[in-house]
Amino acid sequence: MKEFVAGRTEDRNREMAPKEKFSKLFEELKSCSVSEQKEKIEEMNRLIDEMDKEELYSTFTIDMFNKIDQMIEEDKLKMGNAILLLKHMGYRNALLNIKNYGFFFSSLNERFEKMIDDEEKKKEKRNENLLTELCECYLLLSYDLVSEDCASVCVPCLLKAALKKEENEEAQKEVEMALLALSRIDERYV
Protein backbone atom coordinates (compact mmCIF):
# COMPACT_ATOMS: atom_id res chain seq x y z
CA MET A 1 0.00 0.00 0.00
CA LYS A 2 1.44 3.35 -0.99
CA GLU A 3 0.88 6.46 1.02
CA PHE A 4 1.63 10.09 0.20
CA VAL A 5 4.01 11.53 2.83
CA ALA A 6 5.62 14.98 2.67
CA GLY A 7 5.84 15.14 -1.11
CA ARG A 8 6.85 11.53 -1.70
CA THR A 9 5.24 8.14 -1.75
CA GLU A 10 6.32 5.36 0.58
CA ASP A 11 5.52 1.73 0.30
CA ARG A 12 4.41 0.48 3.74
CA ASN A 13 4.80 -3.09 2.69
CA ARG A 14 8.24 -2.60 1.25
CA GLU A 15 9.62 -5.95 0.24
CA MET A 16 12.73 -6.88 2.21
CA ALA A 17 15.84 -7.64 0.20
CA PRO A 18 16.97 -11.30 0.14
CA LYS A 19 19.91 -10.48 2.42
CA GLU A 20 17.60 -8.91 5.03
CA LYS A 21 15.18 -11.84 4.87
CA PHE A 22 18.10 -14.26 5.19
CA SER A 23 19.43 -12.45 8.27
CA LYS A 24 15.99 -12.44 9.88
CA LEU A 25 15.53 -16.18 9.30
CA PHE A 26 19.08 -16.86 10.52
CA GLU A 27 18.35 -15.12 13.84
CA GLU A 28 15.15 -17.15 14.23
CA LEU A 29 16.94 -20.51 13.75
CA LYS A 30 18.15 -20.88 17.34
CA SER A 31 14.64 -20.87 18.77
CA CYS A 32 13.06 -23.37 16.36
CA SER A 33 12.41 -27.08 16.47
CA VAL A 34 14.48 -29.32 14.19
CA SER A 35 11.70 -29.53 11.59
CA GLU A 36 11.06 -25.77 11.74
CA GLN A 37 14.80 -25.22 11.29
CA LYS A 38 14.79 -27.36 8.18
CA GLU A 39 11.91 -25.33 6.70
CA LYS A 40 13.66 -22.05 7.50
CA ILE A 41 16.93 -23.33 6.03
CA GLU A 42 15.17 -24.36 2.82
CA GLU A 43 13.82 -20.79 2.59
CA MET A 44 17.29 -19.39 3.41
CA ASN A 45 18.76 -21.50 0.61
CA ARG A 46 16.24 -20.04 -1.84
CA LEU A 47 17.24 -16.56 -0.67
CA ILE A 48 20.92 -17.40 -1.16
CA ASP A 49 20.10 -18.16 -4.79
CA GLU A 50 18.60 -14.66 -5.16
CA MET A 51 21.62 -12.82 -3.75
CA ASP A 52 24.34 -11.33 -5.91
CA LYS A 53 28.07 -11.68 -5.24
CA GLU A 54 28.29 -8.57 -3.07
CA GLU A 55 25.35 -9.61 -0.91
CA LEU A 56 26.75 -13.11 -0.47
CA TYR A 57 30.19 -11.83 0.42
CA SER A 58 28.81 -9.45 3.04
CA THR A 59 26.46 -12.10 4.47
CA PHE A 60 28.88 -15.01 4.82
CA THR A 61 31.09 -13.41 7.47
CA ILE A 62 33.36 -14.77 10.19
CA ASP A 63 30.75 -13.63 12.70
CA MET A 64 28.00 -15.63 11.00
CA PHE A 65 30.13 -18.78 10.86
CA ASN A 66 31.08 -18.33 14.52
CA LYS A 67 27.38 -17.99 15.40
CA ILE A 68 26.62 -21.23 13.53
CA ASP A 69 29.42 -22.93 15.47
CA GLN A 70 28.04 -21.62 18.75
CA MET A 71 24.52 -22.76 17.86
CA ILE A 72 25.86 -26.26 17.11
CA GLU A 73 27.83 -26.26 20.36
CA GLU A 74 24.75 -25.24 22.37
CA ASP A 75 22.64 -27.84 20.50
CA LYS A 76 20.40 -25.09 19.12
CA LEU A 77 21.21 -26.14 15.55
CA LYS A 78 21.45 -29.80 14.60
CA MET A 79 24.44 -30.80 12.51
CA GLY A 80 22.24 -32.16 9.71
CA ASN A 81 20.47 -28.83 9.37
CA ALA A 82 23.76 -26.92 9.62
CA ILE A 83 25.18 -29.04 6.80
CA LEU A 84 22.07 -28.40 4.68
CA LEU A 85 22.66 -24.65 5.00
CA LEU A 86 26.46 -24.64 4.81
CA LYS A 87 26.63 -26.92 1.80
CA HIS A 88 24.31 -24.63 -0.15
CA MET A 89 26.29 -21.57 0.92
CA GLY A 90 29.50 -23.20 -0.29
CA TYR A 91 27.88 -24.36 -3.50
CA ARG A 92 26.71 -20.84 -4.31
CA ASN A 93 30.14 -19.40 -3.47
CA ALA A 94 31.77 -21.95 -5.76
CA LEU A 95 29.35 -21.31 -8.63
CA LEU A 96 29.98 -17.58 -8.48
CA ASN A 97 33.70 -18.05 -7.72
CA ILE A 98 33.47 -15.89 -4.61
CA LYS A 99 36.72 -15.58 -2.68
CA ASN A 100 35.36 -15.33 0.85
CA TYR A 101 37.66 -16.36 3.68
CA GLY A 102 35.11 -15.90 6.50
CA PHE A 103 34.76 -19.63 7.05
CA PHE A 104 38.52 -20.21 7.18
CA PHE A 105 39.01 -17.74 10.04
CA SER A 106 35.99 -18.94 12.03
CA SER A 107 35.67 -21.40 14.88
CA LEU A 108 33.37 -23.44 12.62
CA ASN A 109 36.36 -24.22 10.40
CA GLU A 110 38.14 -25.72 13.39
CA ARG A 111 35.05 -27.77 14.27
CA PHE A 112 34.86 -29.18 10.74
CA GLU A 113 38.56 -30.03 10.65
CA LYS A 114 38.22 -31.87 13.98
CA MET A 115 35.05 -33.69 12.90
CA ILE A 116 36.65 -34.78 9.62
CA ASP A 117 39.72 -36.03 11.49
CA ASP A 118 37.60 -37.82 14.14
CA GLU A 119 35.38 -39.47 11.53
CA GLU A 120 38.40 -40.57 9.50
CA LYS A 121 40.02 -42.17 12.56
CA LYS A 122 36.95 -44.32 13.30
CA LYS A 123 37.72 -46.69 10.42
CA GLU A 124 35.27 -49.48 11.41
CA LYS A 125 32.23 -47.45 12.50
CA ARG A 126 32.82 -44.57 10.13
CA ASN A 127 29.73 -42.82 8.83
CA GLU A 128 30.70 -42.43 5.15
CA ASN A 129 27.73 -40.18 4.37
CA LEU A 130 28.58 -37.81 7.23
CA LEU A 131 32.24 -37.74 6.23
CA THR A 132 31.29 -36.95 2.62
CA GLU A 133 28.94 -34.15 3.73
CA LEU A 134 31.59 -32.68 6.05
CA CYS A 135 34.24 -32.80 3.32
CA GLU A 136 31.94 -31.16 0.77
CA CYS A 137 31.03 -28.34 3.16
CA TYR A 138 34.61 -27.87 4.25
CA LEU A 139 36.06 -27.69 0.73
CA LEU A 140 33.26 -25.58 -0.72
CA LEU A 141 33.53 -23.03 2.09
CA SER A 142 37.31 -23.02 2.50
CA TYR A 143 37.93 -21.66 -0.97
CA ASP A 144 41.63 -22.47 -1.36
CA LEU A 145 42.73 -22.44 2.29
CA VAL A 146 42.50 -26.15 3.05
CA SER A 147 44.62 -27.91 5.65
CA GLU A 148 46.87 -30.62 4.27
CA ASP A 149 45.47 -33.15 6.75
CA CYS A 150 41.89 -32.47 5.68
CA ALA A 151 42.83 -32.53 2.01
CA SER A 152 44.35 -35.99 2.46
CA VAL A 153 41.02 -37.21 3.86
CA CYS A 154 38.62 -35.23 1.67
CA VAL A 155 40.14 -35.95 -1.74
CA PRO A 156 39.79 -39.77 -1.57
CA CYS A 157 36.44 -39.48 0.20
CA LEU A 158 34.94 -37.22 -2.46
CA LEU A 159 36.48 -39.15 -5.33
CA LYS A 160 34.82 -42.25 -3.91
CA ALA A 161 31.50 -40.39 -3.71
CA ALA A 162 31.92 -39.10 -7.27
CA LEU A 163 32.59 -42.59 -8.59
CA LYS A 164 29.18 -43.81 -7.45
CA LYS A 165 27.36 -44.13 -10.73
CA GLU A 166 23.68 -44.04 -9.98
CA GLU A 167 20.92 -43.13 -12.32
CA ASN A 168 18.58 -41.11 -10.13
CA GLU A 169 18.67 -37.30 -10.12
CA GLU A 170 19.39 -36.92 -6.39
CA ALA A 171 22.43 -39.20 -6.56
CA GLN A 172 23.65 -37.34 -9.65
CA LYS A 173 23.37 -34.04 -7.74
CA GLU A 174 25.55 -35.53 -4.98
CA VAL A 175 28.17 -36.59 -7.54
CA GLU A 176 28.17 -33.09 -9.02
CA MET A 177 28.49 -31.57 -5.53
CA ALA A 178 31.45 -33.85 -4.70
CA LEU A 179 33.22 -32.92 -7.95
CA LEU A 180 32.57 -29.21 -7.45
CA ALA A 181 33.96 -29.45 -3.92
CA LEU A 182 37.07 -31.18 -5.25
CA SER A 183 37.56 -28.46 -7.84
CA ARG A 184 38.02 -25.95 -5.02
CA ILE A 185 41.19 -27.64 -3.72
CA ASP A 186 44.52 -26.06 -4.53
CA GLU A 187 46.61 -28.18 -6.90
CA ARG A 188 49.37 -28.57 -4.29
CA TYR A 189 47.16 -31.06 -2.45
CA VAL A 190 46.33 -33.34 -5.35
Side-chain angles (χ1 to χ4, degrees):
M1 170 181 213
K2 290 189 178 184
E3 196 173 85
F4 187 77
V5 178
R8 67 182 197 279
T9 59
E10 288 188 12
D11 189 356
R12 271 196 205 164
N13 298 324
R14 185 181 70 87
E15 185 69 25
M16 283 196 297
K19 180 181 174 179
E20 293 170 330
K21 288 180 190 176
F22 179 92
S23 296
K24 183 178 184 292
L25 290 170
F26 180 74
E27 288 304 317
E28 294 172 358
L29 274 181
K30 56 186 155 213
S31 59
C32 296
S33 70
V34 174
S35 61
E36 290 172 327
Q37 280 181 355
K38 188 171 183 179
E39 289 174 18
K40 285 190 186 298
I41 288 169
E42 288 170 355
E43 176 63 22
M44 291 167 72
N45 286 344
R46 283 189 290 278
L47 293 168
I48 287 170
D49 290 339
E50 294 176 21
M51 289 188 227
D52 61 26
K53 280 184 169 187
E54 186 178 305
E55 289 173 311
L56 292 169
Y57 188 82
S58 65
T59 301
F60 302 162
T61 62
I62 296 169
D63 184 51
M64 188 200 64
F65 290 117
N66 285 339
K67 284 180 183 176
I68 291 172
D69 185 50
Q70 183 179 9
M71 289 166 54
I72 292 168
E73 180 69 29
E74 295 171 352
D75 205 29
K76 293 181 179 177
L77 179 63
K78 297 297 180 190
M79 184 53 74
N81 284 340
I83 286 172
L84 183 65
L85 176 61
L86 293 166
K87 196 168 159 180
H88 194 76
M89 292 166 69
Y91 179 74
R92 189 74 171 142
N93 270 350
L95 283 180
L96 297 176
N97 199 29
I98 296 172
K99 297 178 182 182
N100 185 333
Y101 299 105
F103 175 76
F104 179 77
F105 293 108
S106 73
S107 57
L108 187 60
N109 178 57
E110 294 171 23
R111 176 181 298 277
F112 269 68
E113 287 180 352
K114 182 176 180 344
M115 289 177 71
I116 289 168
D117 185 52
D118 290 348
E119 200 61 39
E120 172 64 16
K121 287 178 180 174
K122 287 182 183 176
K123 302 287 182 199
E124 294 173 20
K125 294 184 180 182
R126 180 183 309 161
N127 181 337
E128 293 292 336
N129 288 335
L130 175 62
L131 184 58
T132 300
E133 297 279 333
L134 291 169
C135 288
E136 286 173 349
C137 284
Y138 177 76
L139 293 179
L140 288 168
L141 291 168
S142 293
Y143 187 64
D144 61 356
L145 300 173
V146 176
S147 81
E148 194 169 334
D149 290 340
C150 281
S152 68
V153 173
C154 291
V155 169
C157 174
L158 294 178
L159 284 172
K160 183 178 176 181
L163 289 173
K164 291 181 181 176
K165 296 180 179 167
E166 296 189 33
E167 298 289 323
N168 70 46
E169 189 176 320
E170 187 176 313
Q172 189 60 34
K173 178 80 171 165
E174 287 302 312
V175 169
E176 290 169 10
M177 188 73 74
L179 291 172
L180 182 61
L182 281 171
S183 74
R184 303 283 283 183
I185 256 187
D186 190 280
E187 62 270 358
R188 68 180 175 246
Y189 297 119
V190 291

